[in-house]
Amino acid sequence: MRDPHEDSGVHVGGDAYGSVRLNPRRDRRSARGARTRRRGLVIAGTLSCLVLGSSGVTWALTNYATTKIKSVDAGLQESRPSTGAMNILVVGVDRRDDLTRKQQNQLKLGRESGERTDTMMVIHLSEDHRKVTVVSLPRDTWTTIPGKGQHKINAAYQLGGPKLATRTVQAATGLTLHHYVEVNVLGFINVVDALGGISVCTPVPINDPKTALNLEPGTYSFDGVKALSYARTRATARSDLDRIDRQQQVISALLNQALSGDTLTNPIRLASFVDTALDTVRVDDALRKDLLGLADQLKDVSTDDVAFATVPLADVDYRTPTGESAVLWDSEAAKELFRRIAADETLVKPTKPAKSTPTPSASASPSAPALTVPPARISLRVLNGTTIKGLGAQTRTELQKVGFLVPETAGNTPQKGFERTVVRYGPGREDSARTVTAALPGAESRRVESLGDAIEVVVGLKHESPKKVTVKETAAPATPAASPSATPTARTATENICKK
């Protein structure tokens, strides 16, 4: 039967698992203790850019967002509408003045007042707002700060606040920054708690007395405070470079957690998350006034569409003229990375397109490609393609029982009479669709361009109950030795998500 191409409806990102945090650090005396605490910051800010739009919670953003979020002058000259390619600087700030003595003791933050920054990321939104690229800027980057000489890049905020931080990043990267987002450390803790906590995994042991963290390799469930401790530790082989890797894993996992059915279908948790995320950030005034427009543009972004990269390095143990230990960028490789971003090029190699003709179930042929995406990382929608009342709801429940994410209630196709169950998927979702098809005996898969990156299961008359499928996942690679990376590489948020 001909496949009617109705709207796909709301869909959520392609994966699930929790994970955690970010990392902080930098100060003077408390430098070792204080500098290790600010990594958690950026996560909430990054999530505010990505998740608030992706979750489609526009009901909470209209006038509420404008009044809830505080604005900050970052010296941005260009007033950018919510459409078109854009670059956003996300800065993590350790602002402790509002913390109680008990909170500072609990977080081992010391007594210093004021504001410090230790984490910087540039978020690039593609022209069509279907792809997001997040580039981490190492805090120890040795660079020229306009009007101040050579310093580590994280000194820019201390020397001149948001305006100088923005100027410094623009000079170092060659990118035009259109918006600015700043987030505080305590906000990260509250965001994690609003999501009901998160899971983290470490492939190596961590023993850090400074953060009271002692972990064997494995997976853990943490609240916000514990998550921050995990995020800010430097007690692994590559120190700050490992922390950057954890930041990117954490953002991926938190994004996924925020987009999961547990959050989107729970009104109380969703409201708490939105309220908390809005309360953690300060943004430039133009973004504050038009956050709803940007959020609406990002509503279809999933974890498959978010890519993470780190600036290529030439020297990870550079000794500065002042005797400090810093890192130097690989100038040519970094220049190429930012050229590609400015040109709106995708850093992650796209998945090969599948044929548009119906294909048999992935489990029907022994020569079929191996399954690579587990059900727990696949979100889909169920539509009843028959006249049998309740079949869609029944299938939704069955798919959830075998591990798939099905956050929406089942719907109905405009036309009835589907004989076989059909798995319909948008471009780039072939791997996930293979897993879904393998779990549905007798189902066929079909690529539908108009679905974007969504996946739908249209239940047919010859429907059989879903079965559990096993996806053999490769183990995470061991932590590499401290060595520079001169090649721009990127991974999607889906690839970054911690495997259980």
Side-chain angles (χ1 to χ4, degrees):
M1 156 157 193
R2 194 168 170 270
D3 180 17
H5 295 181
E6 63 278 345
D7 292 337
S8 63
V10 178
H11 79 281
V12 195
D15 321 321
Y17 286 13
S19 264
V20 53
R21 67 285 99 247
L22 206 6
N23 293 310
R25 65 204 269 247
R26 159 144 222 265
D27 285 303
R28 269 208 143 129
R29 209 195 96 241
S30 223
R32 295 191 187 143
R35 26 164 90 139
T36 75
R37 45 190 80 139
R38 293 179 280 285
R39 292 296 167 182
L41 335 167
V42 145
I43 295 184
T46 305
L47 286 174
S48 296
C49 294
L50 303 181
V51 175
L52 290 178
S54 303
S55 60
V57 289
T58 54
W59 58 271
L61 296 177
T62 316
N63 296 323
Y64 181 69
T66 305
T67 57
K68 183 81 172 176
I69 297 181
K70 298 180 180 65
S71 63
V72 60
D73 184 3
L76 298 171
Q77 301 300 316
E78 184 177 355
S79 178
R80 189 79 170 185
S82 62
T83 57
M86 65 177 65
N87 302 311
I88 303 171
L89 175 62
V90 179
V91 173
V93 174
D94 181 359
R95 190 183 305 115
R96 291 173 251 163
D97 295 349
D98 295 333
L99 299 181
T100 65
R101 177 66 60 84
K102 180 179 180 181
Q103 287 173 319
Q104 292 193 23
N105 289 338
Q106 185 181 24
L107 297 172
K108 301 183 184 296
L109 293 179
R111 297 284 182 270
E112 297 93 339
S113 60
E115 299 180 3
R116 289 149 292 273
T117 181
D118 207 47
T119 302
M120 287 183 174
M121 291 182 174
V122 174
I123 298 177
H124 174 77
L125 307 184
S126 64
E127 178 73 27
D128 59 5
H129 287 193
R130 298 300 300 271
K131 299 291 182 182
V132 180
T133 302
V134 182
V135 182
S136 299
L137 309 181
R139 66 170 294 282
D140 289 338
T141 295
W142 190 249
T143 190
T144 298
I145 296 179
K148 303 294 182 179
Q150 288 194 306
H151 296 271
K152 291 182 180 180
I153 198 168
N154 66 337
Y157 190 96
Q158 284 78 51
L159 295 172
K163 290 183 179 179
L164 187 56
T166 299
R167 289 177 59 200
T168 301
V169 173
Q170 288 188 135
T173 64
L175 296 174
T176 297
L177 297 176
H178 305 107
H179 291 300
Y180 175 89
V181 174
E182 180 181 300
V183 59
N184 185 26
V185 60
L186 190 59
F188 165 73
I189 297 171
N190 294 337
V191 167
V192 173
D193 288 340
L195 288 173
I198 47 186
S199 296
V200 307
C201 65
T202 173
V204 296
I206 299 175
N207 186 1
D208 187 358
K210 295 176 182 177
T211 58
L213 201 65
N214 191 346
L215 303 174
E216 292 298 322
T219 301
Y220 300 85
S221 295
F222 285 158
D223 61 11
V225 172
K226 200 70 174 179
L228 180 60
S229 296
Y230 177 91
R232 63 182 181 151
T233 181
R234 292 184 297 158
T236 50
R238 300 192 309 155
S239 189
D240 288 329
L241 299 182
D242 279 344
R243 292 209 299 181
I244 286 179
D245 290 342
R246 281 194 291 269
Q247 289 176 29
Q248 296 183 348
Q249 181 202 50
V250 167
I251 295 172
S252 301
L254 284 175
L255 174 62
N256 188 20
Q257 183 83 347
L259 294 177
S260 72
D262 288 344
T263 299
L264 295 177
T265 60
N266 186 327
I268 295 177
R269 177 174 292 179
L270 181 60
S272 175
F273 165 70
V274 171
D275 186 69
T276 302
L278 291 175
D279 203 34
T280 63
V281 299
R282 298 196 302 178
V283 303
D284 63 277
D285 197 53
L287 181 57
R288 182 181 68 87
K289 292 177 180 177
D290 201 22
L291 183 60
L292 179 62
L294 179 60
D296 187 60
Q297 291 284 321
L298 293 171
K299 66 180 182 296
D300 291 328
V301 170
S302 75
T303 53
D304 288 338
D305 305 314
V306 182
F308 291 88
T310 303
V311 180
L313 303 177
D315 191 345
V316 297
D317 194 23
Y318 174 71
R319 187 62 55 179
T320 73
T322 57
E324 301 173 82
S325 178
V327 298
L328 291 180
W329 293 3
D330 182 292
S331 57
E332 290 303 314
K335 183 178 180 181
E336 173 62 12
L337 170 66
F338 293 116
R339 182 204 66 76
R340 293 178 62 185
I341 290 174
D344 211 22
E345 295 180 11
T346 301
L347 299 184
V348 179
K349 186 179 295 186
T351 306
K352 292 181 180 180
K355 297 179 180 180
S356 57
T357 54
T359 57
S361 166
S363 60
S365 170
S367 61
L371 303 180
T372 58
V373 184
R377 288 168 49 201
I378 301 174
S379 179
L380 47 84
R381 185 189 185 203
V382 175
L383 298 173
N384 188 352
T386 75
T387 57
I388 303 174
K389 189 174 182 180
L391 185 57
Q394 174 188 326
T395 304
R396 174 179 183 257
T397 300
E398 292 172 342
L399 285 166
Q400 289 175 321
K401 286 181 179 179
V402 296
F404 291 95
L405 294 173
V406 195
E408 288 187 82
T409 55
N412 296 286
T413 58
Q415 300 179 30
K416 305 299 180 182
F418 279 78
E419 289 292 325
R420 298 175 63 186
T421 295
V422 179
V423 177
R424 306 193 303 195
Y425 61 93
R429 301 306 304 277
E430 290 83 4
D431 290 347
S432 295
R434 246 194 332 266
T435 301
V436 180
T437 306
L440 292 166
E444 65 180 38
S445 61
R446 190 169 302 167
R447 175 175 163 130
V448 179
E449 298 290 335
S450 61
L451 281 182
D453 58 5
I455 295 179
E456 291 181 342
V457 172
V458 179
V459 187
L461 290 170
K462 295 181 179 179
H463 166 72
E464 294 185 39
S465 295
K467 65 178 184 179
K468 278 201 169 189
V469 293
T470 301
V471 177
K472 184 177 182 180
E473 300 186 72
T474 56
T479 302
S483 60
S485 171
T487 304
T489 58
R491 292 170 60 85
T492 66
T494 299
E495 293 171 316
N496 273 336
I497 290 171
C498 176
K499 307 296 189 300
K500 290 184 179 179

